Amino acid sequence: PEQKNILKEFITSVNSNKRLFTLVNNEFSKIKTKIKKLVENVKDEVVKIKLTEVVKNIKHFSVLVGDFYTYY
């Protein structure tokens, strides 16, 4: 359902990048929260490290998306 909503917003918000970026950042926040919860239950240290890095990269990417919006 989330992918469908993002695709729909992408198609309909041709003239409104702000709405699209807001939606994408909200989805990033949801994903980040879900991954953080998963990390708590993972026993394999390597997987924990990788998931933690994914969370860090999501944060950096959402900042980049926000910066992109400020330029356009």
Side-chain angles (χ1 to χ4, degrees):
E2 291 88 5
Q3 290 176 343
K4 183 178 177 181
N5 291 337
I6 292 173
L7 180 59
K8 180 181 173 186
E9 187 64 35
F10 178 77
I11 292 169
T12 59
S13 66
V14 174
N15 295 327
S16 177
N17 288 337
K18 185 176 182 179
R19 265 190 4 211
L20 179 60
F21 290 138
T22 301
L23 178 68
V24 169
N25 278 327
N26 288 340
E27 291 301 320
F28 278 146
S29 294
K30 290 177 190 176
I31 292 168
K32 191 165 76 171
T33 302
K34 288 178 183 179
I35 293 174
K36 283 182 178 180
K37 287 181 182 178
L38 287 174
V39 169
E40 297 171 1
N41 299 325
V42 174
K43 292 180 172 66
D44 186 348
E45 280 301 312
V46 174
V47 174
K48 272 188 179 182
I49 291 168
K50 290 184 179 197
L51 288 173
T52 303
E53 288 300 314
V54 167
V55 169
K56 289 179 185 176
N57 286 323
I58 288 174
K59 180 180 176 183
H60 294 304
F61 188 73
S62 65
V63 169
L64 288 174
V65 169
D67 286 344
F68 176 79
Y69 172 70
T70 59
Y71 293 122
Y72 292 95

